[in-house]
Amino acid sequence: MDNSFPKNNLTNEVFAYWIPRLVADGVDINDILSVHSVATNWPEWSKAWSEIGNRYYLLAKEMQSEGHDISAGETLIRASLAYHCSQIVAFHSQEDKKAMQALKAKTYQKAAPLLAPPLERIEVSFKNHKIPGYLRLPRSLENLAACVLLVPGLDSTKEDFHTIGDICVKRGLACFSFDGPGQGEFRQHLPLAEGYEECIQAIFDAISSHPKIDPLRIGTLGRSLGGYFVMRAAAKNPQIAATVVFGGAFDLEDFSTMPKMIRDGFCYATGGKTDSEARTLMGASSLIDCIDKVKKPVLIVHGKLDAIFNWKQAIKLSNSLPGVSTLVMDDNGVHCCHNNAFQYRTKMIDWLANVLKKDQGL
Amino acid sequence: MDNSFPKNNLTNEVFAYWIPRLVADGVDINDILSVHSVATNWPEWSKAWSEIGNRYYLLAKEMQSEGHDISAGETLIRASLAYHCSQIVAFHSQEDKKAMQALKAKTYQKAAPLLAPPLERIEVSFKNHKIPGYLRLPRSLENLAACVLLVPGLDSTKEDFHTIGDICVKRGLACFSFDGPGQGEFRQHLPLAEGYEECIQAIFDAISSHPKIDPLRIGTLGRSLGGYFVMRAAAKNPQIAATVVFGGAFDLEDFSTMPKMIRDGFCYATGGKTDSEARTLMGASSLIDCIDKVKKPVLIVHGKLDAIFNWKQAIKLSNSLPGVSTLVMDDNGVHCCHNNAFQYRTKMIDWLANVLKKDQGL
């Protein structure tokens, strides 16, 4: 396996894809540039990020000991994101990847109570296990809040939704981010597989009964592969009031031409030993069997330069939802439009705020 | 005048200094990279930024027409920052620089009422003119708020303090940012000159009498050259409860060895036609005459790699304040430690929050 990447070239993978993606999720560009200046391959990248995570962790301890809880919380979020960066490409060592994932989750959990307002950790029962997640409520809460369930993708987790969570709560929406089968903390309990939407249903049921959430105004936002599963969830649960597909897919038709790192991700998440085993474990993986059951509004945001889920996936999805969907295609957008994150993330949350407001008849 | 800059080199000026500085002040790295990919000299950089500003401006209009005021406000802040980037190096055309400055200020003013909470524009009388500024109050306000007066540097303005303002209000501090003599909107009324601290006094008097501000808990934070003037203000006004010098100076001893762009900045702000005329208009520019009058706590944050105000300026300042000052020197820090902005900006505001809390005897 060739772990190297080209250096000092603005058009290389690190700059063209990782800078926008990581910065959009809350990573400091100064840290990315500093890692890029020392790392010549992915294992070195992993190591450099874990060192940045450790530095933020120590800084947070110092801040907390001086009584600066909000700063300590924000610094722990940075530590968690650095551990996230460390593990995200670490397919060269499953052990390292698991250890860094665990550290990322633990560090985020330490940050949660320090933030203002604090994040509420909620564990939802699912198939004899507990799905871990965080509920965030808007500051000014009149009556019950509308809520967005944030559904991660193949190699993303609840922690990488922190900045999207910020956008939600600023606009008066609650949000709940979690790790499902094959993702983050929960991967040790259940692997990724066709049927993931059952966990979205379990979360919908739990969040619907939260005393501060309006069960009639719950939407979902699925990132990347999560965008496929939120559609399945919408087809099975007409109570879901709105769905956003954020760089998602109609099916896995492009599997064999996806970047190697993505197919490695499918192996890691499903537990498959080879690409073909992983693909088999994913089952049919097409919306063809259920898409006609979706009756509530769907927003599809996709980048025409997406190298993981081809833009034609978004067209296929949109065409399967006549009268129900709105398609926003960014001609210059990479996967999930990370290189134009501000515009499209804002658009998605504003759209949800509108639809979920209307749903209540306001 | 050679306006070119080297391309595609991570160690060049754009990457080493401008990326950290602009990102710290709220500019999107995607926009910086996109400008860098097209601009081969400073006039092209200016033009590319003004185009990005126009794009955000139109996007904000669209958001506002759809009823998304918070998003429109945040997008106008981005437009204003893009105009800021456009003018910041535009010494090749004073007319362009002035026009972009005006657009930057006007766009920020349009954003102010849309943000949640909105910024309150306050104009303070000073020498028959009005100093424009914005007051931001923390969301949860019990009794009167402590407040930080944010004093810009040579070529910075109230708009570039937006992210530092965010840090303040999140930690329960109000803040007031403004343009003084030679800066932003106010430059057309009065040039930069020795004696700038009189305007800090006028602002102190106005903010002290605001119904939501505690006059006994007002501090200042001076950025770059503003760090010199907040010290003069502290020497003359013992009511100022705390002072932060953020990449500031004791005197202008290093004037002749400063980067050309900084000396151009002194000419622009003072109205001097040559470096030597600008230096003359700055007067004595040393704290030697007043430093011994400062009795309230001072925090000095400086980068050892500062290419504008040498780190020895910070040592000189600290040594002149025995028992009063705390010096934080970042061994890897450039001017204002922009390349380590999160850590030091957080530290400065946490320090102010602590000192201003203590001052009230809480």
Side-chain angles (χ1 to χ4, degrees):
Chain A
M1 177 176 174
D2 177 16
N3 286 313
S4 66
F5 52 75
K7 293 281 291 180
N8 290 330
N9 178 353
L10 284 186
T11 63
N12 78 19
E13 186 178 10
V14 175
F15 278 83
Y17 182 70
W18 291 103
I19 283 184
R21 171 173 172 168
L22 298 179
V23 168
D25 290 338
V27 180
D28 192 320
I29 184 64
N30 292 297
D31 294 334
I32 299 176
L33 293 178
S34 115
V35 167
H36 191 255
S37 73
V38 298
T40 59
N41 56 46
W42 293 120
E44 284 175 13
W45 154 293
S46 280
K47 184 165 172 288
W49 277 115
S50 73
E51 285 166 2
I52 287 177
N54 295 341
R55 189 164 56 71
Y56 278 129
Y57 191 86
L58 290 175
L59 178 61
K61 288 279 132 194
E62 189 186 313
M63 288 165 161
Q64 207 174 354
S65 74
E66 290 168 356
H68 303 304
D69 279 3
I70 294 175
S71 298
E74 289 178 354
T75 307
L76 285 171
I77 295 291
R78 282 175 173 247
S80 175
L81 282 168
Y83 296 137
H84 165 66
C85 295
S86 175
Q87 63 76 42
I88 203 163
V89 295
F91 295 113
H92 52 275
S93 163
Q94 287 218 359
E95 285 315 302
D96 285 359
K97 188 168 167 72
K98 271 196 277 189
M100 245 351 113
Q101 267 282 7
L103 201 50
K104 159 188 170 175
K106 200 173 124 193
T107 306
Y108 194 88
Q109 192 171 354
K110 282 190 181 160
L114 300 174
L115 298 166
L119 312 193
E120 183 184 348
R121 186 171 166 108
I122 294 179
E123 300 190 343
V124 176
S125 293
F126 179 62
K127 296 188 175 174
N128 297 321
H129 302 289
K130 297 279 187 192
I131 295 173
Y134 293 95
L135 180 67
R136 296 179 66 177
L137 295 170
R139 275 177 190 265
S140 320
L141 200 53
E142 293 164 18
N143 309 316
L144 298 177
C147 185
V148 186
L149 308 183
L150 300 170
V151 182
L154 178 64
D155 202 34
S156 65
T157 64
K158 59 190 178 313
E159 293 84 6
D160 336 341
F161 269 128
H162 196 75
T163 54
I164 293 186
D166 286 339
I167 303 175
C168 290
V169 295
K170 263 198 184 173
R171 282 150 188 81
L173 293 170
C175 62
F176 184 74
S177 58
F178 62 93
D179 293 336
Q183 295 164 334
E185 278 186 72
F186 199 66
R187 176 179 168 279
Q188 59 178 307
H189 300 299
L190 288 175
L192 174 68
E194 183 75 298
Y196 178 106
E197 67 274 14
E198 294 169 36
C199 114
I200 301 177
Q201 183 58 48
I203 284 156
F204 181 90
D205 293 340
I207 297 300
S208 306
S209 62
H210 190 282
K212 293 190 174 161
I213 303 297
D214 182 349
L216 299 177
R217 296 193 295 145
I218 295 178
T220 63
L221 183 153
R223 174 174 172 158
S224 189
L225 186 65
Y228 166 73
F229 289 118
V230 290
M231 287 308 306
R232 297 199 73 81
K236 294 192 178 177
N237 180 356
Q239 290 182 289
I240 293 174
T243 301
V244 174
V245 179
F246 172 32
F250 184 92
D251 58 35
L252 290 185
E253 203 174 68
D254 307 325
F255 185 84
S256 62
T257 58
M258 284 177 192
K260 173 78 171 67
M261 200 178 275
I262 300 301
R263 287 177 283 127
D264 287 346
F266 274 105
C267 291
Y268 182 79
T270 59
K273 284 187 187 62
T274 61
D275 287 4
S276 122
E277 207 177 304
R279 181 63 195 85
T280 304
L281 288 164
M282 287 302 296
S285 280
S286 167
L287 295 173
I288 196 82
D289 64 314
C290 65
I291 192 77
D292 59 331
K293 298 195 180 67
V294 177
K295 304 296 177 203
K296 295 287 174 64
V298 176
L299 174 68
I300 303 159
V301 171
H302 211 94
K304 203 135 189 189
L305 308 180
D306 192 326
I308 297 170
F309 292 135
N310 188 280
W311 61 278
K312 290 176 185 163
Q313 287 283 332
I315 302 285
K316 207 193 285 189
L317 179 54
S318 176
N319 288 344
S320 308
L321 293 161
V324 174
S325 71
T326 304
L327 173 63
V328 175
M329 184 71 76
D330 177 6
D331 284 343
N332 297 310
V334 297
H335 185 52
C336 294
C337 304
H338 292 309
N339 54 337
N340 212 340
F342 170 76
Q343 180 170 348
Y344 293 105
R345 291 178 179 214
T346 302
K347 187 169 197 74
M348 293 189 295
I349 305 308
D350 282 342
W351 180 89
L352 278 165
N354 249 16
V355 174
L356 296 176
K357 194 195 287 174
K358 280 182 192 150
D359 223 60
Q360 207 197 26
L362 288 176
Chain B
M1 177 176 174
D2 178 16
N3 286 314
S4 67
F5 52 75
K7 293 281 291 178
N8 292 327
N9 179 352
L10 284 186
T11 62
N12 77 19
E13 186 178 9
V14 174
F15 278 83
Y17 182 70
W18 290 103
I19 283 184
R21 171 172 172 169
L22 298 180
V23 168
D25 290 337
V27 179
D28 193 319
I29 183 65
N30 292 297
D31 294 334
I32 299 176
L33 292 178
S34 115
V35 167
H36 190 253
S37 74
V38 297
T40 59
N41 55 46
W42 293 121
E44 284 176 13
W45 154 293
S46 279
K47 183 165 173 289
W49 277 115
S50 74
E51 285 166 2
I52 287 178
N54 294 342
R55 190 166 55 72
Y56 278 128
Y57 191 86
L58 290 176
L59 179 61
K61 288 277 131 194
E62 189 185 313
M63 289 165 160
Q64 206 175 355
S65 74
E66 290 168 356
H68 303 304
D69 279 3
I70 295 175
S71 298
E74 288 179 353
T75 307
L76 285 171
I77 295 291
R78 282 174 174 247
S80 175
L81 282 168
Y83 297 137
H84 164 66
C85 295
S86 176
Q87 62 77 39
I88 203 165
V89 295
F91 296 114
H92 51 278
S93 164
Q94 287 218 2
E95 284 315 302
D96 284 359
K97 189 168 166 72
K98 270 197 278 187
M100 248 347 116
Q101 266 282 7
L103 201 50
K104 159 186 171 178
K106 198 174 126 192
T107 306
Y108 194 87
Q109 191 171 355
K110 281 189 180 161
L114 300 173
L115 298 166
L119 314 192
E120 182 184 348
R121 187 170 165 110
I122 294 179
E123 299 189 342
V124 176
S125 293
F126 179 62
K127 296 188 176 174
N128 296 322
H129 303 288
K130 297 279 186 190
I131 294 173
Y134 293 96
L135 179 68
R136 296 180 65 178
L137 294 170
R139 275 178 190 266
S140 320
L141 200 54
E142 294 164 18
N143 308 319
L144 298 178
C147 185
V148 186
L149 309 183
L150 300 170
V151 182
L154 176 64
D155 201 33
S156 65
T157 64
K158 59 190 177 313
E159 293 84 6
D160 337 340
F161 269 128
H162 197 75
T163 55
I164 293 186
D166 286 339
I167 303 174
C168 290
V169 294
K170 265 200 183 171
R171 283 151 187 81
L173 294 171
C175 63
F176 184 74
S177 58
F178 61 93
D179 293 335
Q183 294 164 334
E185 280 186 71
F186 198 66
R187 176 179 168 278
Q188 60 179 306
H189 299 300
L190 287 175
L192 173 68
E194 183 75 299
Y196 179 106
E197 67 273 15
E198 293 168 38
C199 113
I200 302 178
Q201 183 58 47
I203 285 157
F204 181 90
D205 293 340
I207 297 300
S208 307
S209 63
H210 190 282
K212 293 191 175 164
I213 303 297
D214 182 349
L216 298 177
R217 295 193 296 143
I218 295 177
T220 63
L221 183 154
R223 173 173 173 160
S224 191
L225 185 65
Y228 164 74
F229 289 118
V230 290
M231 287 308 306
R232 297 199 72 81
K236 293 192 178 176
N237 179 356
Q239 290 181 288
I240 294 174
T243 301
V244 174
V245 179
F246 172 33
F250 185 91
D251 58 37
L252 290 185
E253 202 174 69
D254 306 324
F255 185 83
S256 61
T257 58
M258 285 178 192
K260 174 76 170 67
M261 198 178 277
I262 300 301
R263 286 177 283 127
D264 286 346
F266 274 106
C267 291
Y268 182 79
T270 59
K273 285 187 188 62
T274 61
D275 287 4
S276 121
E277 205 176 306
R279 181 64 195 85
T280 304
L281 288 165
M282 287 302 295
S285 280
S286 166
L287 294 173
I288 197 80
D289 63 315
C290 63
I291 192 76
D292 61 329
K293 298 194 180 67
V294 178
K295 304 295 176 203
K296 294 290 174 64
V298 175
L299 174 69
I300 303 159
V301 171
H302 211 94
K304 202 132 187 192
L305 308 180
D306 191 327
I308 297 170
F309 292 135
N310 189 280
W311 61 277
K312 290 178 185 163
Q313 288 282 333
I315 302 285
K316 207 194 284 190
L317 179 55
S318 176
N319 288 344
S320 309
L321 293 161
V324 174
S325 72
T326 304
L327 172 65
V328 175
M329 184 71 75
D330 176 5
D331 284 344
N332 297 309
V334 298
H335 184 52
C336 293
C337 303
H338 292 310
N339 55 336
N340 212 340
F342 170 75
Q343 180 170 347
Y344 293 105
R345 291 178 180 214
T346 302
K347 189 171 195 74
M348 292 188 297
I349 306 305
D350 282 343
W351 181 88
L352 277 166
N354 249 15
V355 173
L356 296 177
K357 194 195 288 174
K358 280 184 191 148
D359 222 62
Q360 207 196 27
L362 289 174

